[in-house]
Amino acid sequence: MSFILDNCMTISIIFVIILFVSIVFNKRIASLVISFLTVLFGLFLLLYSFAKISGFDALDIQIKGLLIIGEGLLLLVVTSVFISVQEAKKKGL
């Protein structure tokens, strides 16, 4: 568990890279799933820090969890806009 807590920002960056690779290969469902996984990972960090960790370490993990949740929500918006633009191009609008 300490590996995940120490490298949580790296894990979220890997999620972003996987998301953009899935967008390049037009895997819409995969990109939405990665966005949701990023939000869920942030929620996991936030809830885990409330339940199991105390002190300033908890505050650090809580802030990182909130940052990752925000990143996941931004990725969800970007993915949704990208899918909407692709559908509009298909319909010729």
Side-chain angles (χ1 to χ4, degrees):
M1 191 63 193
S2 65
F3 176 78
I4 292 174
L5 295 176
D6 291 339
N7 298 314
C8 60
M9 296 307 283
T10 306
I11 293 170
S12 70
I13 290 171
I14 290 171
F15 281 153
V16 171
I17 291 169
I18 292 171
L19 177 104
F20 285 126
V21 167
S22 65
I23 286 176
V24 167
F25 289 120
N26 291 327
K27 304 291 183 187
R28 297 183 213 169
I29 301 299
S31 59
L32 284 174
V33 168
I34 296 295
S35 300
F36 285 126
L37 280 177
T38 307
V39 172
L40 289 176
F41 181 66
L43 282 173
F44 164 74
L45 288 175
L46 187 65
L47 295 176
Y48 183 79
S49 66
F50 279 128
K52 301 286 182 181
I53 303 173
S54 62
F56 288 113
D57 291 334
L59 185 63
D60 179 44
I61 299 300
Q62 289 168 0
I63 291 172
K64 287 179 182 178
L66 289 174
L67 286 173
I68 293 172
I69 290 171
E71 175 186 329
L73 292 174
L74 284 173
L75 291 175
L76 192 62
V77 168
V78 167
T79 305
S80 300
V81 167
F82 181 73
I83 290 172
S84 300
V85 168
Q86 277 187 338
E87 289 298 318
K89 284 182 181 178
K90 276 186 179 179
K91 293 186 181 197
L93 296 177

